Amino acid sequence: MTRLTATLLFAAISAFCAAPASADQCAARADMIKALGDKFHESEAARGLVNPSVVLEIFVSDKGTWTILATDTHGQSCVITAGEGWDGTMMAALPGA
């Protein structure tokens, strides 16, 4: 894992654990995925286990928008962060990708 990827992952996990997300940033996973698909045309590009209770998921669109979700074992997903300008070429260069 590159230093940049590790730093970004640590920042996302820290944000999720340090401050509870507001209600408008959380929803049932199925509803969240539907909304990301309908509104932003984003689909899942990557996922990783944070701990036994939380999965981190990255959703991206062909236009470069992206959203990072954290989903718990109860199926509740919260938006960690979102943005534009996703470059998936770097993901392909990572070992094991």
Side-chain angles (χ1 to χ4, degrees):
M1 185 183 303
T2 67
R3 177 178 239 164
L4 175 61
T5 303
T7 302
L8 291 174
L9 181 59
F10 178 75
I13 292 167
S14 296
F16 183 70
C17 297
S22 66
D24 61 337
Q25 294 178 316
C26 299
R29 183 178 183 276
D31 295 339
M32 190 71 76
I33 291 171
K34 182 175 180 352
L36 289 174
D38 291 349
K39 188 171 183 179
F40 300 106
H41 307 287
E42 293 180 359
S43 59
E44 188 177 34
R47 108 175 43 140
L49 190 62
V50 175
N51 63 44
S53 301
V54 179
V55 173
L56 193 72
E57 300 173 280
I58 302 173
F59 290 79
V60 299
S61 74
D62 290 339
K63 293 185 178 185
T65 63
W66 55 269
T67 304
I68 298 177
L69 298 181
T71 302
D72 68 16
T73 56
H74 302 291
Q76 183 79 357
S77 291
C78 296
V79 174
I80 300 299
T81 191
E84 299 178 357
W86 181 263
D87 181 1
T89 58
M90 292 180 71
M91 293 293 289
L94 294 175

